[in-house]
Amino acid sequence: MPTQPITANKDFNERQIKRIFYRRLGIAIWVSFLVAAVQSVVFFAQFDPAYLNEIASITISIGRWQGYALGFVFFWGFNFITGLFCGVIMAMPRTKLAQRTAHK
């Protein structure tokens, strides 16, 4: 059975579709937050932000706590974008080629 977009389903009204969208967006935000927390712990257990600032070619003075915060925000944003990208791809309807090859 081919996958159809949720907007084509007559069983859902517009309010329910918005709730599904916001729930999926919330899941992507929360999961990316948790993964960023783990990545920050692992990364900063190995690398000190103050030392990274010393060897960096950029001349901006960033303290240790600012380095932790910037690293976490970077990890969170990267994970959110990848999670959102995967969610968009999974929500796309199947192509005609995928429909033909699935029935063989």
Side-chain angles (χ1 to χ4, degrees), residues 19-95:
R19 288 184 68 202
I20 290 169
F21 170 76
Y22 289 129
R23 185 179 308 131
R24 289 179 180 174
L25 183 64
I27 290 169
I29 291 171
W30 182 242
V31 169
S32 64
F33 177 84
L34 293 176
V35 173
V38 172
Q39 286 177 331
S40 295
V41 167
V42 171
F43 182 80
F44 290 120
Q46 298 294 323
F47 303 102
D48 184 15
Y51 178 69
L52 291 175
N53 188 35
E54 289 175 12
I55 63 172
S57 60
I58 301 172
T59 59
I60 299 173
S61 178
I62 296 176
R64 180 172 278 130
W65 288 105
Q66 294 159 340
Y68 290 139
L70 288 174
F72 176 77
V73 169
F74 170 76
F75 287 134
W76 191 5
F78 183 77
N79 289 317
F80 176 69
I81 290 170
T82 56
L84 195 64
F85 183 66
C86 290
V88 166
I89 288 176
M90 289 176 61
M92 293 173 69
R94 294 177 65 179
T95 63

Side-chain angles (χ1 to χ4, degrees), residues 7 9-22:
T7 54
N9 191 337
K10 303 299 181 207
D11 295 334
F12 293 110
N13 61 26
E14 189 171 327
R15 182 173 174 245
Q16 290 171 322
I17 291 172
K18 284 182 182 179
R19 288 184 68 202
I20 290 169
F21 170 76
Y22 289 129

Side-chain angles (χ1 to χ4, degrees), residues 1-3 93-104:
M1 180 173 162
T3 305
R94 294 177 65 179
T95 63
K96 298 280 185 192
L97 179 63
Q99 291 172 6
R100 275 188 274 141
T101 57
H103 296 296
K104 289 184 176 182

